[in-house]
Amino acid sequence: MDNRPIGVFDSGLGGLTAVKQLLRQLPEEDIIYFGDTSRLPYGSRSRETIRRYAISDVNFLLSHNIKRIIVACGTVSAVALELLRERYRIPIQGVIDAAVPAAAAATKNGRIGVIGTAATVRSNAYAKLLATTAPSAETLAVACPLLVSLVENGRWSADDIVVKTVLNEYLAPILDFGADTLILGCTHYPLLADAIRTLTDGKLTLIDPGAEAAKCLAEQQLADGSKAESGRNGSLKLYVSDTDDGFAERARSFLDMDVTGLCQQVDIDRY
Ligand code: DGL
């Protein structure tokens, strides 16, 4: 048994997809969430910059005496996960190794689409892992650089004309390819899941890597006995590196819970 918090980070709102699943599955756990809102988007930056950001994000979480980390960011998982695992002793769960087995299990026609940030698609991390996990599957990865800004601006409704236009353009090659399964390879994208389902007439099974990572973490805790005491009420603390600027309101809307007083600003340059 281990009552220390679980640390989760992303560049912004996206990692809340992992938090949502943790709250459902592990209500007894304390969660420390960091959204690096002053430095997002990560996905258009160089490998070196993303790695540097990831190190300071982990250093910040470690200052909270956490027991485990979820890198709830596809971009960091794609370009910095190995580095983080080499550098720190704490167990670190990424989103790619969690999402790929779920996609391999879900596909019926062996055609898996991946959408992600430019850095994630450039890294080929999804394609490489899919090639070993589901060798007979064919994959197509499409970079969707505009989607993170839409989500960070609270634009994720299926009725939003801008959302529809941008998604239609990005999803066209995935539909042409004949995918039956789509990995939402940037953790911001599950906030657009309803819009994607509507626009594709529900033809695609959507894989949410943040939620899959949270499920993996829950399994690991069960296996190594590091769950928090059962029956206790877990807590959530949200930290952002810029002024709140609507983050708490959007987090409330996505998590569907009252986050009043839970969100604080942190000076990430100190880490
Ligand atoms: N949500 C992150 C990801 O999964 C980062 C998006 C960004 O900041 O570009 O890739």
Side-chain angles (χ1 to χ4, degrees):
M1 195 181 69
D2 188 340
N3 285 344
R4 288 177 300 160
I6 296 167
V8 183
F9 76 92
D10 177 43
S11 63
L13 284 166
L16 294 177
T17 52
V19 170
K20 197 168 188 166
Q21 182 66 30
L22 289 176
L23 292 170
R24 260 189 219 137
Q25 206 170 338
L26 302 171
E28 62 284 351
E29 299 287 345
D30 292 341
I31 301 166
I32 306 283
Y33 184 77
F34 175 60
D36 194 5
T37 50
S38 68
R39 302 190 294 195
L40 78 82
Y42 280 13
S44 53
R45 305 203 187 270
S46 68
R47 195 179 177 83
E48 291 65 38
T49 301
I50 296 163
R51 289 177 167 205
R52 185 160 48 80
Y53 289 177
I55 287 170
S56 59
D57 300 345
V58 170
N59 287 342
F60 167 69
L61 289 176
L62 289 176
S63 71
H64 286 82
N65 190 30
I66 50 169
K67 59 180 170 182
R68 285 175 182 279
I69 292 181
I70 298 184
V71 177
C73 174
T75 306
V76 173
S77 298
V79 308
L81 194 66
E82 271 173 41
L83 171 84
L84 295 177
R85 284 183 174 152
E86 278 165 17
R87 197 176 165 118
Y88 301 99
R89 300 173 67 112
I90 189 165
I92 301 181
Q93 174 66 54
V95 288
I96 298 177
D97 42 358
V100 162
T107 186
K108 297 203 166 53
N109 72 358
R111 292 189 161 237
I112 300 172
V114 182
I115 53 174
T117 65
T120 298
V121 171
R122 202 171 47 230
S123 75
N124 256 332
Y126 270 106
K128 281 186 209 152
L129 195 56
L130 279 162
T132 53
T133 310
S136 59
E138 289 183 71
T139 61
L140 176 73
V142 175
C144 305
L146 298 177
L147 296 186
V148 168
S149 314
L150 285 177
V151 170
E152 285 294 330
N153 285 285
R155 304 280 294 266
W156 58 68
S157 158
D159 303 323
D160 186 315
I161 182 72
V162 180
V163 169
K164 277 192 210 169
T165 307
V166 173
L167 277 178
N168 270 331
E169 180 175 318
Y170 289 144
L171 294 174
I174 300 283
L175 293 172
D176 286 349
F177 172 66
D180 70 348
T181 301
L182 178 64
I183 299 177
L184 304 175
C186 163
T187 53
H188 279 72
Y189 302 171
L191 283 86
L192 293 157
D194 284 344
I196 294 173
R197 269 188 216 103
T198 307
L199 289 173
T200 57
D201 296 324
K203 278 188 208 128
L204 301 168
T205 301
L206 303 182
I207 306 295
D208 174 342
E212 295 302 331
K215 289 181 203 165
C216 288
L217 178 138
E219 279 167 21
Q220 287 152 15
Q221 291 203 147
L222 211 54
D224 69 9
S226 64
K227 280 185 69 167
E229 199 178 345
S230 62
R232 77 192 279 277
N233 284 327
S235 64
L236 172 64
K237 284 193 185 135
L238 303 171
Y239 293 90
V240 286
S241 52
D242 207 343
T243 51
D244 180 318
D245 195 26
F247 181 91
E249 174 48 30
R250 288 189 279 280
R252 185 203 61 72
S253 157
F254 176 65
L255 294 175
D256 200 18
M257 69 180 272
D258 184 10
V259 298
T260 315
L262 302 186
C263 191
Q264 288 176 49
Q265 190 179 352
V266 58
D267 179 5
I268 194 61
D269 294 335
R270 286 179 39 222
Y271 300 87

